[in-house]
Amino acid sequence: MKYILVTGGVISGIGKGIIASSVGTILKSCGLHVTAIKIDPYINIDAGTFSPYEHVDLDLGNYERFLDIRLTKDNNLTTGKIYQSVINKERRGDYLGKTVQVVPHITDAIQEWVMRQARISVDDDGVEPQVCVIEVICWSRLILFYCERITTGEQKTKPTQNSVRELRGLGLSPDLIMCRCSTPLETAVKEKISMFCHVEPTQVICVHDVSSVYRVPLLLENQGVVSYFCQRLNLPVEMRPRKMLTKWKEMADRSDRLLEHVSIALVGKYTKLSDSYTSVIKALEHSALAINHKLEVKYIDSADLESTTLQDEPVKYHEAWQKLCSSHGVLVPGGFGVRGTEGKMQAISWARKQNNNVSHVSGVCLGMQLAVCEFARNVLGWEDANSTEFNPESKHPVVIDMPEHNPGQMGGTMRLGKRRTIFKSNTSVLRKLYGDLEYVEERHRHRFEVNPELKHHFEKKGLQFVGQDEEGERMEVIELEGHGYFVGVQYHPEFTSRPIKPSPPYFGLLLAAAGKLQSYLAKGCRLSPRDTYSDRSGSSSPEVEISELRFPSL
């Protein structure tokens, strides 16, 4: 097992995650099996109870999207997890009455965790990984990356020199210094960093701003990191970039040439921080790129669509509705808490009624649940219909607590992870988008679900539950009859979306928003030649149609 450590300054968003993901992409393109581990310092056991405004960790998602792998909760290591595991061992008597201390017990626990998790397969073939990319821990037999931001404007090296000096004081000598900067690094600056940080000029890598993150692996590969990996890690394979990087270059080139636009209104409660919905945005981007459209996301705070905002801040209210009404499609993502839910249902109601003018993924997780609530209120006539999460006294609880949910215990009580969804209809639009499969397996993260006892009321009026769990008790997918694209899913398909393997529910939304869904379905889920994955720069590379892509979870 070879280990690559990526660390850097304390500035959030400096690019460690993208650089780590890009390094993994380069290695995977050379035929190696690569995994990744993210180590966080916080005491929380996991990030499941974090508010997105409190903490947004994007790195595991970047690893999965770039490397096309599947990581588990154990690929994210926190201080809380380590201390919990050590304390549990102490309670069981594993330490035979010895005094438990940071050294060696905590440090040993960290190393044991990393060594164990690094050998778990993250690919469909079940092969043990050969290389593990890690943030942020010291190790032997590894490459140490140090990422630092070069001051904008005049390129200053002093901050980098000081940081590397402190790093060496901890006993760590970086093998590669990744210099984040807005423009390519000047030769004199690169030589100065090399001299004062005691590395060769070839070990100073410029990671300047590029048109898209898809170009970062290409940027690193062009600066000779492949040959450095081969020499430093003593890898027993021919380190030659293969077809995977060629596809990345074609994808990056197409991304830069997009001319047509498609706009999606994202109606949520954390819109002040776009990183809160990174997985959703990336899934939309993947699907927009697949149909050769440039994505425009219109962020709408769902509370701004409510009548209380009209009374208190009418300008904000009208601006929010103008954004919604001028969009090609609407997406209501997952979330928790009552704030803004009425605004989300207002957006869903509007999209449902605008069948001929707008497409709508009625929602993901909470978005699906609110679509059911909205339909119950405005079509079935149940005016107080709601989720018990928001109104436990509702006479029409169309969304209820899961039987296994413990209301008094927030952490780890959700229905989490991969679950199977069975399609109950052969005519389902989503089933066709998935490749006409009988079932799919997607990731879940929820505590509430549609009340199965009320199912027949909705289906009589045209809201069909076309996907259910294996027991037929959990409602997983909804589709509205006669609507262009009114789809809701209980699971989170954005978690398995990849740059060249867009998630089918999001792909369907973008097709509908661009006015291409019906022709796509009529052609047996194949796009016309101008809408295929191909390099339009004049190269002779063969075209790859959307239907030929291996969708995730299939």
Side-chain angles (χ1 to χ4, degrees):
M1 173 61 66
K2 311 292 184 179
Y3 297 92
I4 296 178
L5 167 65
V6 181
T7 185
V10 297
I11 301 175
S12 179
I14 196 173
K16 295 188 295 294
I18 293 295
I19 290 173
S21 302
S22 299
V23 167
T25 300
I26 294 172
L27 293 173
K28 188 167 184 177
S29 74
C30 296
L32 295 169
H33 284 79
V34 184
T35 186
I37 295 175
K38 174 65 186 300
I39 301 179
D40 286 307
Y42 49 74
I43 307 298
N44 302 66
I45 301 301
D46 56 50
T49 56
F50 271 129
S51 163
Y53 287 152
E54 180 71 21
H55 176 84
V56 179
D57 193 338
L58 312 178
D59 294 323
L60 285 187
N62 285 327
Y63 301 155
E64 290 194 318
R65 285 186 288 269
F66 272 63
L67 297 171
D68 190 19
I69 57 178
R70 287 195 174 189
L71 304 178
T72 71
K73 62 181 180 180
D74 289 337
N75 288 84
N76 180 213
L77 181 57
T78 70
T79 301
K81 284 183 178 179
I82 288 297
Y83 273 84
Q84 184 183 58
S85 67
V86 170
I87 290 171
N88 288 341
K89 286 183 178 180
E90 189 276 334
R91 293 291 84 190
R92 291 195 305 264
D94 292 6
Y95 299 116
L96 300 176
K98 294 180 180 179
T99 301
V100 179
Q101 303 177 84
V102 172
V103 180
H105 301 102
I106 296 296
T107 54
D108 284 353
I110 295 172
Q111 295 180 26
E112 290 168 4
W113 189 301
V114 171
M115 293 179 67
R116 180 179 64 253
Q117 192 62 30
R119 297 187 179 278
I120 296 177
S121 175
V122 292
D123 293 298
D124 293 337
D125 57 14
V127 176
E128 181 180 304
Q130 299 161 280
V131 180
C132 179
V133 182
I134 310 170
E135 296 182 52
V136 171
I137 190 171
C138 180
W139 204 260
S140 60
R141 294 186 300 149
L142 57 72
I143 285 184
L144 173 60
F145 278 31
Y146 185 75
C147 308
E148 186 58 79
R149 181 80 190 186
I150 302 298
T151 308
T152 56
E154 182 182 358
Q155 294 181 339
K156 299 290 187 178
T157 66
K158 187 62 69 175
T160 300
Q161 294 177 41
N162 292 338
S163 297
V164 172
R165 186 181 301 114
E166 291 183 18
L167 194 66
R168 289 183 183 279
L170 297 172
L172 299 174
S173 298
D175 295 278
L176 295 173
I177 298 177
M178 298 287 180
C179 298
R180 282 287 291 112
C181 43
S182 55
T183 57
L185 207 59
E186 299 169 6
T187 302
V189 174
K190 188 172 184 177
E191 291 176 347
K192 191 173 182 180
I193 293 174
S194 167
M195 180 174 60
F196 284 99
C197 295
H198 307 288
V199 296
E200 293 294 327
T202 55
Q203 293 172 263
V204 180
I205 308 297
C206 172
V207 190
H208 58 79
D209 294 348
V210 287
S211 57
S212 74
V213 295
Y214 305 134
R215 293 202 176 276
V216 179
L218 306 173
L219 185 65
L220 300 183
E221 193 271 334
N222 289 336
Q223 296 181 68
V225 296
V226 173
S227 59
Y228 185 84
F229 287 141
C230 185
Q231 174 267 323
R232 181 67 176 85
L233 291 177
N234 192 27
L235 292 167
V237 295
E238 181 183 359
M239 295 294 290
R240 179 176 56 84
R242 302 178 184 181
K243 187 176 181 181
M244 183 175 173
L245 276 190
T246 302
K247 290 183 177 180
W248 273 78
K249 185 180 185 306
E250 293 177 355
M251 180 173 60
D253 290 342
R254 287 190 303 106
S255 178
D256 291 344
R257 294 194 303 269
L258 298 177
L259 298 177
E260 295 184 85
H261 288 70
V262 60
S263 60
I264 300 295
L266 192 154
V267 183
K269 61 185 292 187
Y270 304 114
T271 54
K272 292 180 182 178
L273 181 63
S274 60
D275 282 354
S276 301
Y277 296 108
T278 290
S279 295
V280 171
I281 301 304
K282 293 299 182 182
L284 291 172
E285 288 178 353
H286 301 162
S287 296
L289 185 60
I291 61 171
N292 287 329
H293 278 61
K294 191 174 185 63
L295 176 68
E296 177 189 4
V297 178
K298 298 183 179 182
Y299 297 95
I300 302 175
D301 189 323
S302 55
D304 292 345
L305 300 172
E306 298 175 358
S307 57
T308 54
T309 304
L310 175 61
Q311 298 173 0
D312 300 335
E313 299 180 85
V315 174
K316 182 181 289 188
Y317 173 85
H318 289 294
E319 287 178 347
W321 275 100
Q322 192 279 331
K323 283 184 182 180
L324 182 68
C325 296
S326 61
S327 300
H328 297 116
V330 180
L331 174 66
V332 181
F336 297 93
V338 68
R339 185 180 69 82
T341 54
E342 294 297 323
K344 292 178 182 180
M345 281 191 274
Q346 289 283 347
I348 292 170
S349 180
W350 177 83
R352 178 177 57 80
K353 296 173 183 176
Q354 299 295 318
N355 182 17
N356 296 324
N357 302 316
V358 67
S359 61
H360 176 242
V361 151
S362 57
V364 173
C365 197
L366 175 61
M368 169 191 162
Q369 296 170 7
L370 293 179
V372 174
C373 292
E374 185 278 329
F375 193 88
R377 290 182 183 184
N378 299 318
V379 178
L380 300 184
W382 301 344
E383 296 182 0
D384 74 329
N386 214 327
S387 168
T388 55
E389 178 182 7
F390 313 129
N391 181 13
E393 306 302 324
S394 171
K395 295 180 180 179
H396 296 92
V398 296
V399 177
I400 58 176
D401 287 42
M402 298 185 305
E404 62 270 38
H405 174 214
N406 180 0
Q409 179 70 29
M410 295 296 289
T413 60
M414 293 184 287
R415 185 169 181 249
L416 290 169
K418 184 172 69 174
R419 299 288 193 278
R420 180 169 294 186
T421 295
I422 311 295
F423 284 110
K424 301 296 183 179
S425 170
N426 293 329
T427 61
S428 164
V429 172
L430 202 54
R431 174 172 177 160
K432 294 177 182 177
L433 291 172
Y434 271 106
D436 200 29
L437 296 177
E438 295 182 1
Y439 67 87
V440 294
E441 292 181 333
E442 293 276 14
R443 294 180 182 176
H444 291 66
R445 185 177 183 269
H446 63 100
R447 291 191 182 94
F448 296 84
E449 56 192 27
V450 175
N451 188 342
E453 295 182 0
L454 303 177
K455 169 189 169 184
H456 63 285
H457 293 286
F458 292 93
E459 294 193 327
K460 283 182 181 179
K461 293 292 185 177
L463 188 66
Q464 303 297 323
F465 294 95
V466 298
Q468 300 171 26
D469 72 339
E470 295 177 275
E471 290 74 30
E473 297 177 354
R474 302 180 192 268
M475 306 299 108
E476 295 278 354
V477 182
I478 61 169
E479 292 181 11
L480 181 60
E481 291 180 348
H483 196 282
Y485 192 76
F486 190 98
V487 173
V489 293
Q490 181 61 71
Y491 49 81
H492 289 266
E494 65 271 17
F495 292 156
T496 51
S497 183
R498 303 290 183 261
I500 57 176
K501 300 174 188 175
S503 168
Y506 287 92
F507 183 51
L509 172 63
L510 267 296
L511 281 170
K516 299 175 180 288
L517 178 60
Q518 295 307 317
S519 60
Y520 178 75
L521 296 175
K523 294 175 182 178
C525 293
R526 298 178 69 86
L527 291 178
S528 62
R530 69 179 297 273
D531 292 321
T532 55
Y533 268 109
S534 62
D535 182 9
R536 299 301 174 187
S537 59
S539 71
S540 58
S541 59
E543 295 181 345
V544 180
E545 299 212 15
I546 299 296
S547 60
E548 295 172 352
L549 297 176
R550 181 170 55 85
F551 281 125
S553 305
L554 307 187

